[in-house]
């Protein structure tokens, strides 16, 4: 596959600067190359950044020139490119030397410091997650004051759970699913419709939602079994969109784009969180507070996420889990060794979908309102990017990535000095998805194995050794 | 009957636009075997570039003749969108050659999210509309008081598609560049050994795809007169459907697939339900991929072990 190394690299400026023959003056070519990059940036900015279209008073589009922004961007590109060219030469050399080394060195990688940190990180992070409501209460000086933080924690954990669910399909079985949000939607609508139509409680609906989502997983998984790689991704994307469009247009059942409101709230195993005598507060002799429900929701999603994690970890040690990972590495080898690829793929789809369904039911009970717009393709892409950034197949990486991707932009919003720098009305949330997209590309270019790129082998003979992620051939099937 | 003929005309126009986008998908998939997920957003971006140039030419420079303005807009949009296509390939796809199989697709999804939100940030989230550029048309025939018309803009779109398909088909079939492309499609390593600059050939493929997307974007703006930052996704998926339906890797197949998708979509909206027209298009994608993966004009894929 490494055709570029065989091909002559003419016309590719960064290589020109690193060619050994030109050793003496590396500065001039570097400047030239940086100027070229700035010129490309200028070309890219015309006219899409240089002119902003606005509706005038007469409701006609007018152009507002913004050449200052373009100039700043071009300068930034020039500076960054120049620094990369001057400092990057050595990095590039070291890297290519390292790459050659990888071809000859053995598989046994010593346990690095990073891996030892991750060994202790899991229990520490779990402790933080369990104590989180207490911590925020102490920091903010009251339960009600910390509502925002606990809500944020719930949001992060929801994405952690979705990431772990999708990780089964993408990280373990190597099937790229771009329509995962469909199962999330199935779970949410299952709970909402069952609870409103039949008056069933959340605790009955939760497993039902999971089972329904799993059935949908099998139904959607069945026709696409023969497809691989890119084709599979696109078809799952199409299925996800079809489900969303049906939710919008089947108004009789789903109330269409208006969504379903006033979904029954969660109860403490049958005891409602209300202020009256049968309520949670009165039963346990506490003073009534709306925060009880929020804290309960926090622990509910924490338990659901941990269940997802534990089930995944156990499944990896079962024959089916090993079959998933074998399928990811090489489907043809799997088939020739007698693994039933059909049932292996379907179980991956079904189990991944089931956890998506659980998360969906939780989403519905927390929000109290759902509409098809919550389940668009972007949501799928965000969950996928969490799995990808976390390093496909790594549970810890997914958790870290979910925290970074969901809580990160929220943190940015709270930083006052940003609006001082960029002017008033600066909303980092606007740039959130822009950063998501850029992060996905950057991740693939620099660290295609994700933030946590080492793997613990699922099964070992004798001594346990860590495997570098570079040796795992993810997503081949 | 009149309604049917009118829908046929509309469907072929829409299908021409899909076909132009589909050529970009089919060429890229043919040469490096990846779904360029960002292609739909390149199309949307080109529509914005065309929009801004059109306003610039008509209201700032005061060019009166729509035909000249349209021609300049088309050329400028093609050049600048090609630059975007080149930059995307250089930054997001080229470093990934030789990486694991899903890496380019994930990177492409990242580019897609980046581009649509980039346009949202720099141009705002509202729909941008311009007054119709080309008015009028030819009445084909009139019956029961229902006139079947072929608008001038529909003629422009169909003619542009036909001309561009011929030019690009000629380039791929008869020129050294096309030969290099087909060589890379068959065996990249062998092509490199025989002295073909593989990186340059792939770059040029992206540039050609982006240029065609720019034509599609300009035509889209000409036809609908309105564009928004989220307009890349659905046409992109439909154009990909067209490429798959026509047989991936085949240029005439892409346009044929585009025309079929356009016809299905308009006829479905006219006779069944307009709400489910996207469902129809997406279902075609799933059905074709499952039952007829090599498409109408494509070659069956041989599985090498």
């Amino acid at each position: 596959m490494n055709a570029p190394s065989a091909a002559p690299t003419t016309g590719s400026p960064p290589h020109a600067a690193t060619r050994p023959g030109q050793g003496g003056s590396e500065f001039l070519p570097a400047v030239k190359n940086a100027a070229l990059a700035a010129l490309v940036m200028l070309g890219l900015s015309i006219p899409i950044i240089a002119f902003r279209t606005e509706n005038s008073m007469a409701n006609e589009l007018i152009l507002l020139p913004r050449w200052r922004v373009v100039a700043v961007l071009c300068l930034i590109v020039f500076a960054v490119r120049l620094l990369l060219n001057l400092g990057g030469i050595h990095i590039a050399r070291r890297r290519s030397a390292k790459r050659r080394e990888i071809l000859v060195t053995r598989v046994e990688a010593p346990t690095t410091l990073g891996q030892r940190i991750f060994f202790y990180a899991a229990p520490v992070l779990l402790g933080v997650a369990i104590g989180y409501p207490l911590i925020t209460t102490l920091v903010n000086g009251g339960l009600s004051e910390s509502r925002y933080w606990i809500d944020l924690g719930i949001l992060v954990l929801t994405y952690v759970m979705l990431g772990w669910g999708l990780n089964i399909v993408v990280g373990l079985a190597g099937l790229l699913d771009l329509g995962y949000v469909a199962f999330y939607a199935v779970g949410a609508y299952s709970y909402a419709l069952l609870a409103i139509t039949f008056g069933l409680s959340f605790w009955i609906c939760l497993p039902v939602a999971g089972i329904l989502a799993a059935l949908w997983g099998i139904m959607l998984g069945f026709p696409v079994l023969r497809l691989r790689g890119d084709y599979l991704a696109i078809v799952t994307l199409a299925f996800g969109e079809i489900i969303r469009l049906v939710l919008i247009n089947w108004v009789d059942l789903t109330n269409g784009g208006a969504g379903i409101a006033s979904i029954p709230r969660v109860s403490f195993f049958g005891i409602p969180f209300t202020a009256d005598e049968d309520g949670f507060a009165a039963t346990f002799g506490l003073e009534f507070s709306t925060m009880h429900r929020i804290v309960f929701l926090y622990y509910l999603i924490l338990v659901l996420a941990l269940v997802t994690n534990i089930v995944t970890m156990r499944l990896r040690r079962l024959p089916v889990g090993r079959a998933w990972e074998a399928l990811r590495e090489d489907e043809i080898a799997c088939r020739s060794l007698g693994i039933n690829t059909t049932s292996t793929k379907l179980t991956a789809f079904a189990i991944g979908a089931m956890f998506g369904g659980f998360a969906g039911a939780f989403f519905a009970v927390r929000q109290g309102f759902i509409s098809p717009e919550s389940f668009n393709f972007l949501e799928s892409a965000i969950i996928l990017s969490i799995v990808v950034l976390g390093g496909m197949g790594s549970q810890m990486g997914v958790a870290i990535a979910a925290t970074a991707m969901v809580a990160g932009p929220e943190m940015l919003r709270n930083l006052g000095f940003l609006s001082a720098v960029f002017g008033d009305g600066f909303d980092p949330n606007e740039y959130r998805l822009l950063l998501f997209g850029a992060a996905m590309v950057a991740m693939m270019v620099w660290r295609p194995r994700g933030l946590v790129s080492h793997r613990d082998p699922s099964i070992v003979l004798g001594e346990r050794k860590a495997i570098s992620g570079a040796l795992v051939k993810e997503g081949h099937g | 009957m009149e309604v049917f003929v009118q829908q046929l005309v509309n469907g072929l126009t829409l299908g021409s636009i899909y076909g132009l986008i589909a050529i970009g998908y089919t060429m890229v998939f043919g040469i490096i075997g990846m779904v360029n997920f960002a292609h739909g957003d390149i199309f949307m971006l080109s529509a914005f570039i065309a929009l801004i140039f059109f306003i610039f030419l008509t209201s700032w420079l005061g060019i009166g003749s729509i035909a000249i303005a349209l021609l300049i807009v088309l050329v400028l949009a093609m050049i600048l969108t090609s630059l975007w296509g080149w930059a995307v390939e250089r930054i997001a796809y080229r470093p990934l050659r030789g990486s694991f199989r899903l890496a380019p697709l994930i990177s492409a999804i990242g580019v897609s999210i980046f581009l649509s939100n980039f346009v949202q940030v720099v141009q705002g989230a509202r729909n941008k509309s311009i007054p119709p550029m080309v008015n009028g048309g030819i009445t084909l025939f009139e019956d029961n008081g229902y006139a079947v018309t072929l608008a001038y803009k529909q003629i422009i779109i169909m003619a542009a598609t036909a001309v561009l398909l011929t030019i690009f088909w000629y380039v791929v079939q008869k020129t050294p560049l096309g030969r290099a492309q087909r060589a890379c499609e068959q065996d990249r390593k062998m092509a490199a050994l025989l002295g073909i600059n593989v990186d340059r050939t792939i770059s040029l493929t992206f540039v050609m795809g982006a240029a065609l997307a720019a034509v599609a974007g300009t035509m889209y703006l000409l036809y609908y007169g309105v564009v928004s930052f989220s307009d890349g996704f659905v046409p992109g998926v439909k154009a990909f459907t067209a490429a798959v339906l026509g047989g991936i890797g085949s240029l005439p197949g892409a346009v044929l697939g585009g025309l079929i998708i356009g016809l299905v979509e308009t006829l479905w909206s006219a006779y069944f339900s307009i709400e489910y027209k996207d469902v129809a298009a997406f279902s075609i994608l799933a059905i074709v991929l499952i039952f007829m993966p090599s498409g109408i004009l494509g070659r069956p894929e041989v599985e090498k072990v």
Side-chain angles (χ1 to χ4, degrees):
Chain A
M1 280 299 275
N2 274 324
S5 58
T9 48
T10 50
S12 153
H15 294 283
T18 57
R19 209 169 292 157
Q22 296 180 332
S25 67
E26 281 171 336
F27 187 69
L28 206 65
V31 173
K32 228 181 190 173
N33 175 241
L36 205 66
L39 204 67
V40 170
M41 185 65 221
L42 180 69
L44 293 181
S45 338
I46 302 172
I48 197 84
I49 301 178
F51 293 104
R52 186 185 168 94
T53 49
E54 282 293 346
N55 284 67
S56 69
M57 300 298 275
N59 211 19
E60 277 176 346
L61 282 180
I62 51 164
L63 299 178
L64 305 173
R66 284 186 303 188
W67 290 102
R68 231 175 35 190
V69 181
V70 176
V72 170
L73 280 175
C74 288
L75 274 179
I76 291 174
V77 167
F78 180 78
V80 168
R81 188 77 213 179
L82 190 63
L83 282 176
L84 277 180
N85 280 343
L86 292 177
I89 298 162
H90 308 288
I91 298 172
R93 273 193 199 141
R94 229 183 300 148
R95 228 210 224 156
S96 60
K98 203 172 153 197
R99 231 175 242 167
R100 238 168 278 137
E101 250 171 62
I102 284 177
L103 292 176
V104 288
T105 44
R106 288 307 320 142
V107 179
E108 296 149 38
T111 320
T112 60
L113 180 70
Q115 287 166 12
R116 240 174 292 148
I117 290 174
F118 275 115
F119 182 75
Y120 295 112
V124 171
L125 283 183
L126 182 63
V128 170
I130 291 172
Y132 180 75
L134 192 68
I135 297 167
T136 53
T137 309
L138 290 177
V139 169
N140 291 300
L143 203 55
S144 315
E145 284 81 4
S146 56
R147 163 141 198 184
Y148 168 77
W149 294 99
I150 295 180
D151 271 335
L152 186 61
I154 294 174
L155 192 67
V156 169
L157 282 175
T158 314
Y159 278 96
V160 170
M161 178 170 178
L162 286 168
W164 278 341
L166 184 62
N167 203 6
I168 296 173
V169 187
V170 178
L172 295 186
L175 306 163
L176 191 60
D177 185 353
L178 290 179
Y180 191 65
V181 84
F183 309 126
Y184 190 39
V186 167
Y189 273 89
S190 304
Y191 169 63
L193 293 174
L194 287 173
I196 288 176
T197 319
F198 301 108
L200 296 174
S201 89
F202 176 73
W203 299 102
I204 297 169
C205 292
L206 184 68
V208 175
I211 291 166
L212 282 174
L215 284 177
W216 274 94
I218 293 173
M219 259 168 67
L220 298 190
F222 203 71
V224 300
L225 285 171
R226 286 195 300 158
L227 302 173
R228 302 213 231 155
D230 293 11
Y231 279 163
L232 177 84
I234 298 288
V235 171
T236 49
L237 166 86
F239 279 145
E241 282 297 296
I242 289 174
I243 288 200
R244 189 175 68 86
L245 289 168
V246 169
L247 287 179
I248 291 176
N249 291 313
W250 194 356
V251 180
D252 296 339
L253 182 73
T254 64
N255 201 20
I260 301 175
S262 61
I263 299 166
R265 287 183 163 178
V266 73
S267 62
F268 186 80
F269 306 105
I271 307 167
F273 287 96
T274 50
D276 49 343
E277 280 172 24
D278 306 328
F280 174 78
T283 315
F284 289 89
L286 300 168
E287 198 180 326
F288 175 74
S289 158
T290 49
M291 283 306 292
H292 291 157
R293 188 175 63 86
I294 308 291
V295 173
F296 180 67
L297 281 173
Y298 176 85
Y299 281 110
L300 177 61
I301 187 66
L302 183 62
V303 167
L304 283 173
L306 287 177
V307 166
T308 313
N309 186 21
I310 291 164
V311 169
T312 312
M313 297 309 275
R314 305 303 297 178
L315 278 173
R316 274 180 71 169
R317 285 167 175 75
L318 288 178
V320 66
R322 276 183 258 153
W324 286 341
E325 289 191 275
L327 190 72
R328 175 189 71 199
E329 302 300 322
D330 197 330
E331 182 169 344
I332 297 168
C334 267
R335 261 186 275 156
S336 40
L337 287 172
I339 291 174
N340 184 348
T341 50
T342 306
S343 61
T344 311
K345 284 183 182 177
L346 280 183
T347 42
F349 260 108
I351 292 174
M354 182 180 76
F355 288 118
F358 287 153
F362 174 80
F363 177 78
V365 81
R366 178 177 103 97
Q367 297 289 100
F369 167 76
I370 49 172
S371 82
E373 280 321 297
S374 309
F375 308 105
N376 54 21
F377 166 68
L378 209 57
E379 208 69 17
S380 281
I382 289 173
I383 303 166
L384 179 71
S385 64
I386 284 172
V387 175
V388 169
L389 295 186
M392 285 173 283
S394 161
Q395 299 292 90
M396 174 68 78
V398 169
I400 295 171
T403 313
M405 302 271 284
V406 181
E410 284 292 318
M411 299 291 106
L412 281 180
R413 204 209 306 246
N414 296 332
L415 292 178
F417 74 87
L418 278 179
S419 57
V421 174
F422 294 101
D424 274 338
F426 174 77
D427 183 11
N429 241 17
E430 226 176 82
Y431 296 85
R432 195 172 75 123
L433 289 166
L434 199 71
L435 292 176
F436 269 24
M440 276 172 89
V441 175
M443 211 62 196
M444 282 298 112
V445 173
W446 282 304
R447 285 192 72 109
R449 304 293 154 187
L451 293 168
V452 179
S453 61
H454 87 98
R455 301 279 177 281
D456 283 324
S458 304
I459 180 163
V460 285
L461 182 65
E463 192 192 347
R464 177 173 290 266
K465 289 174 193 144
I467 313 174
S468 158
L471 300 163
V472 185
K473 204 167 51 170
E474 238 101 33
H476 188 69
Chain B
M1 183 62 199
E2 300 76 36
V3 177
F4 181 74
V5 174
Q6 183 67 61
Q7 294 304 332
L8 217 57
V9 171
N10 296 347
L12 288 175
T13 314
L14 186 63
S16 301
I17 295 177
Y18 290 153
L20 284 172
I21 311 173
I23 294 176
Y25 276 113
T26 214
M27 287 197 340
V28 167
F29 197 95
I31 198 162
I32 51 173
M34 69 168 277
V35 179
N36 183 10
F37 205 83
H39 196 60
D41 293 281
I42 293 273
F43 155 77
M44 175 273 300
L45 187 75
S46 76
F48 264 92
I49 292 176
L51 172 89
I52 295 169
F53 275 128
F54 186 76
I55 301 172
F56 186 78
L57 289 175
T58 49
S59 64
W60 283 38
L61 297 184
I63 291 179
S65 162
I66 292 290
I68 295 172
L70 196 62
L71 205 65
I72 299 173
V73 165
L74 193 62
V75 171
L76 286 175
M78 279 174 85
I79 294 169
L80 289 172
T81 313
S82 302
L83 191 65
W84 273 97
W86 177 83
V88 164
E89 195 271 339
R90 185 70 190 80
I91 294 167
Y93 304 149
R94 190 183 291 181
L96 300 179
R97 265 179 235 145
S99 194
F100 65 109
R101 207 187 142 148
L102 292 178
L105 182 65
I106 292 166
S107 183
I109 294 169
V111 174
S112 165
I113 297 175
F114 177 85
L115 282 180
S116 62
N117 285 282
F118 167 74
V119 172
Q120 186 189 4
V121 166
V122 297
Q123 294 293 337
R126 290 177 64 176
N127 281 353
K128 307 282 177 185
S129 60
I130 50 169
M133 294 187 217
V134 182
N135 287 316
I138 311 164
T139 308
L140 290 180
F141 60 88
E142 206 168 335
D143 205 6
N144 307 333
Y146 187 95
V148 178
T149 53
L150 179 62
Y152 289 130
K153 55 186 177 188
Q154 291 177 320
I155 299 175
I156 296 174
I157 291 169
M158 285 188 237
T161 307
V163 169
L164 283 162
L165 175 66
T166 320
I167 294 172
F168 277 77
W169 186 78
Y170 178 81
V171 168
V172 170
Q173 291 297 323
K174 305 283 178 189
T175 62
L177 170 65
R179 252 196 315 278
Q181 283 180 328
R182 282 178 289 139
C184 292
E185 194 174 325
Q186 286 186 5
D187 192 331
R188 230 184 303 156
K189 205 175 271 177
M190 191 66 209
L193 287 174
L194 292 174
I196 291 169
N197 189 339
V198 176
D199 278 346
R200 207 180 64 121
T201 311
I202 293 174
S203 276
L204 281 173
T205 309
F206 273 87
V207 165
M208 284 161 73
L212 283 173
V215 178
T218 314
M219 295 301 148
Y220 183 86
L221 188 71
L222 171 78
Y223 195 45
Y224 293 105
V226 60
V227 63
S228 114
F229 75 97
S230 58
D231 277 353
F233 177 67
V234 172
V237 176
K238 283 181 189 161
F240 179 75
T241 311
V244 170
L245 179 62
I248 209 123
S250 154
L251 258 58
V255 175
L256 181 68
L259 293 178
I260 295 174
I261 295 290
L263 282 177
V264 168
E265 190 181 324
T266 33
L267 294 177
W268 185 282
S269 320
Y271 291 104
F272 296 103
S273 71
I274 197 159
E275 288 88 11
Y276 284 99
K277 71 181 163 87
D278 288 353
V279 174
F282 289 133
S283 307
I284 292 176
L285 173 64
I287 291 166
V288 170
L289 275 178
I290 291 159
F291 295 107
M292 204 171 59
S294 55
I296 301 170
L297 297 178
R299 290 181 303 267
E301 200 182 330
V302 185
E303 190 175 1
K304 287 183 207 158
V305 182

